[in-house]
């Protein structure tokens, strides 16, 4: 039987839908042997790869507030710091290394100096996820091994090739942006998020074409920056993931 890989894409707060999709995958009895994540997909994917069940991940996510994962930055490279995010990951996972994951894990980031994709499959989980979720302009880059790393969505928003390189032979890709509609921005965060995701939307289409099976939930009624939607997003991901996975039967 083919070894199954799960590629979880970026999408800011919309990433809560990943949790519901993970639940649907677990209930469907699918044995995921490799995980790759970009941006918010790196966060959910890391918890999953280290053995957290969907309900444990849900409990963590539903308690989060924007100020829990960000703080004002003194850097000239970004408005905010996501150092708090790193501490939160360490709180729930401990000071773990990527190579210690129960399911082989890879996290996608971008070298903002060169534009090259940097795949992290060893080293600190917390630092890797911080880098992968570092939306340019909003968060200041994460310095790692002499490189300035930012959100992996710049280069591969749905990490299909990355999970394939881990060894996956059959790939399930989750794309959060395919059916998303954009609202009129209400503040600078919305402006920056919309701008960033406009840039990565078209490239995301090319990435998911390489997947063997895709899940593209309709998240058009949700906002990318409203953390009050997390429970509803998890439910939506579960409902649509469960329905879509029937096709695998």
């Amino acid at each position: 039987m083919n070894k199954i890989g799960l590629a979880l894409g970026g999408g800011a707060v919309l990433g809560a839908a990943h949790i519901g999709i993970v639940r649907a995958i677990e209930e469907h009895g699918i044995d995921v042997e490799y995980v790759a994540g970009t941006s918010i997909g790196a966060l959910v994917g890391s918890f999953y790869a280290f053995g957290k069940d969907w309900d444990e991940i849900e409990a963590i996510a539903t308690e989060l507030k924007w100020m829990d994962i960000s703080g004002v930055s003194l850097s000239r490279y970004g408005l905010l710091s996501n150092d708090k995010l790193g501490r939160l990951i360490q709180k729930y996972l401990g000071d773990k290394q990527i190579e210690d994951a129960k399911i082989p894990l890879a996290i996608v980031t971008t070298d903002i100096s060169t534009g090259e994709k940097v795949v992290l499959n060893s080293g600190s989980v917390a630092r890797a996820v911080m880098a992968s979720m570092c939306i340019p302009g909003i968060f200041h880059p994460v310095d790692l091994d002499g490189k300035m790393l930012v959100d992996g969505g710049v280069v591969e928003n749905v990490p299909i090739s990355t999970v394939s390189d881990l060894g996956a032979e059959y790939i399930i890709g989750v794309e959060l942006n395919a059916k998303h509609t954009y609202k009129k921005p209400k503040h600078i965060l919305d402006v920056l998020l919309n701008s960033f995701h406009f840039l990565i939307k078209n490239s995301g289409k090319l990435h998911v074409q390489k997947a063997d099976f895709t899940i593209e939930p309709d998240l058009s009624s949700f906002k990318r920056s409203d953390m009050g939607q997390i429970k509803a997003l998890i439910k939506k991901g579960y409902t649509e993931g469960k329905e879509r996975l029937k096709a695998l039967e």
Side-chain angles (χ1 to χ4, degrees):
M1 186 174 179
N2 289 338
K3 295 180 179 180
I4 296 174
L6 179 62
L8 300 178
V13 175
L14 300 181
H18 282 320
I19 302 169
I21 290 169
V22 166
R23 177 186 177 186
I25 287 171
E26 288 182 355
E27 291 183 358
H28 208 78
I30 295 171
D31 183 18
V32 173
E33 297 185 62
Y34 302 95
V35 176
T38 297
S39 198
I40 188 65
L43 178 63
V44 176
S46 293
F47 284 132
Y48 183 55
F50 273 88
K52 297 286 186 185
D53 294 329
W54 72 267
D55 52 345
E56 293 180 274
I57 305 173
E58 179 183 45
I60 296 168
T62 52
E63 292 178 4
L64 287 182
K65 297 179 177 62
W66 184 254
M67 293 307 296
D68 291 336
I69 62 172
S70 64
V72 176
S73 171
L74 299 178
S75 169
R76 59 182 173 177
Y77 295 114
L79 299 174
L80 302 173
S81 161
N82 65 2
D83 289 346
K84 287 184 179 180
L85 172 66
R87 292 194 289 270
L88 180 139
I89 294 168
Q90 290 181 328
K91 174 183 175 182
Y92 289 107
L93 286 184
D95 189 15
K96 299 291 188 181
Q97 304 294 300
I98 299 172
E99 58 268 36
D100 296 331
K102 294 182 178 180
I103 303 173
L105 170 68
I107 293 170
V108 179
T109 70
T110 305
D111 185 334
I112 199 60
S113 298
T114 65
E116 295 177 343
K117 180 170 78 169
V118 178
V119 177
L120 302 175
N121 49 29
S122 63
S124 167
V125 177
R127 296 287 291 173
V129 174
M130 284 169 59
S132 189
M133 290 183 66
C134 183
I135 300 171
I138 296 181
F139 296 109
H140 68 69
V142 172
D143 292 323
L144 196 62
D145 297 330
K147 297 177 180 179
M148 293 177 67
L149 302 180
V150 299
D151 199 302
V154 175
V155 288
E156 190 181 32
N157 196 48
V158 185
I160 306 299
S161 65
T162 299
V163 79
S164 175
D165 289 343
L166 279 177
E169 298 166 330
Y170 187 91
I171 299 169
I172 299 174
V174 183
E175 164 66 289
L176 303 173
N177 304 296
K179 300 176 182 177
H180 185 70
T181 56
Y182 294 81
K183 314 294 184 185
K184 183 178 179 180
K186 291 187 175 181
H187 44 65
I188 187 173
L189 184 59
D190 283 343
V191 170
L192 291 170
L193 284 173
N194 279 7
S195 299
F196 179 63
H197 286 96
F198 286 146
L199 291 172
I200 66 176
K201 191 173 184 179
N202 288 334
S203 63
K205 293 177 183 178
L206 297 175
H207 298 152
V208 296
Q209 287 175 3
K210 300 176 184 177
D212 298 290
F213 187 84
T214 58
I215 301 174
E216 300 178 338
D218 183 356
L219 306 178
S220 56
S221 62
F222 298 93
K223 295 181 179 179
R224 296 177 184 279
S225 59
D226 185 357
M227 298 188 78
Q229 309 168 114
I230 287 178
K231 284 188 177 181
L233 279 162
I234 294 171
K235 183 178 180 180
K236 183 71 170 176
Y238 172 65
T239 301
E240 294 214 12
K242 188 175 181 180
E243 183 63 29
R244 177 74 178 109
L245 287 169
K246 289 179 180 179
L248 281 179
E249 296 175 357

